[in-house]
Amino acid sequence: MDSPDCEKGRQVHLSMDGSEKRSSRPSPSPQSYNPPSLHRTESSLERVDVFGDEESNDIRYKTLRWQFVALLMIAEIVSNGMLALPSALAVVGIVPAVILIVFLGMFALFTAKLLIDFKLNHPEVHNMGDAGYILFGPIGREVLSAGTIIFAICATGSELLSGQLALSTLSDQGFCSMWLLLIFAAFTFLLALPRTLGHLSRLGIFSSGLIVFAGVLAMIAAGTNPAEGRRVDIVVKTDFYHAFLAITNPVFAYAGHFMFFILMSEMPRPQDAMKAATCLQGFSTAFYVAFSVVMYIFIGPTVQSPALLSLPPLWSKTTFAVALGNFLIAGSLYSHTAAKLVFMRFFRRTRHVHSHTVLGWVCWVLLCLVAVGVAAVLAIAVPIFSYLIGIAAAIFASWYTYGLAGFFWLHDTYHLEGGWKAFGLRRVGTAFALLTILLGAFICGAGTYVSVKVSSCSHFRPHSAEA
């Protein structure tokens, strides 16, 4: 039988103008509601809340308030976006870049709304793999699950490279970079070990404060130490390849949607998730614009990626030292996500999820160790790993952040609003959903092309911390 939360969730949809509305139609009965997922024989996707009633459980997951969800997401995405975005202004000019950053921030908020509505309509969804099962069956689940794990591990590796770069900068390259990365990976593993995101959320406050403080310090440093002979270009003429390569930075600066379902599953009130998404996108967009514009105005076209390397040595060390904690916590959050998806896949609906069993804890520790370990090995052993991160982002983040949201809206409109006739009645919403899918496909195709071309022309240049 459906849970009360599920029945409430079924009435939440996207109106023509993108706002939330409650359907005037009565909620369909379980018999009339017949999406593909309901009649599959696998027990891993029952139509009940992921974690169910936790009153008598030893481990309680649903303790994450929406304010902490917003802080965790800020801690996760802002560092990579902040470090990479100023260089985009140098390639395409200040006006096109700012317009693009603002547009993508607004569009990411729109797609977040579609993801949140889908989760409320399907409380059994824990991750993108579960959503893929509802949309496309077993193949969809495997593809989207694998994509989430790959992207999370690549993102962990990106944070490890950022941490390695920060430690190398602080030590004036006085220590072996491999050992610095391994040390940073060890601490990332330890922070990823708490079983619930509620425990990690306390670190989100600290992490968000660190990255904001680092950004403010960097802007002060740039303002007090402007580059000589700098210039500010309103618009820069360039070819498609270099232009799209530059705009992949703002495109993937909002690549945190792949974690939305996992975060919402650990909220006692998932209905509040839109508040967290609004805070996240509003803050990140404003901060991205302010940071990118200030850094570009005072440094000019020579601004590097990561932008902190463009500062005078003392300021660069100071800002990296402050941001180091954010890199650490963001990496632990990504690796936690990869481990949590696999853990729930194998132990869902078992006592190992909510009880302190030996098997549960051994498997959880091993999964966290594997997630961080694989990321560390890739970062050390693959000379072009930083480019592989860009390829993974192009292939997966383009769909998780943008394209899949259109499929979610089309699926629920068809099954909950009256079949094909619903598309005719909601032409504006249908058009937006289709455009969202097309945009995701375009970003995936073009982003993969430029990322592969860059990696093939890199001639095995040294690692960078750029995501």
Side-chain angles (χ1 to χ4, degrees), residues 241 245 379 382-387 450-451 453-464 466:
Y241 167 73
L245 181 62
V382 181
I384 58 170
F385 179 64
S386 57
Y387 301 106
V450 298
S451 298
K453 187 173 181 179
V454 168
S455 63
S456 64
C457 298
S458 66
H459 301 297
F460 297 96
R461 284 178 289 184
H463 289 307
S464 73
E466 179 181 348

Side-chain angles (χ1 to χ4, degrees), residues 180-229:
L180 291 177
L181 190 145
L182 290 175
I183 292 171
F184 195 79
F187 283 99
T188 300
F189 162 70
L190 292 176
L191 288 181
L193 284 177
R195 289 273 289 271
T196 69
L197 287 168
H199 288 89
L200 282 176
S201 66
R202 300 183 183 95
L203 296 175
I205 302 174
F206 181 63
S207 180
S208 300
L210 287 177
I211 198 60
V212 172
F213 186 42
V216 172
L217 284 178
M219 288 188 281
I220 293 173
T224 55
N225 299 274
E228 296 182 4

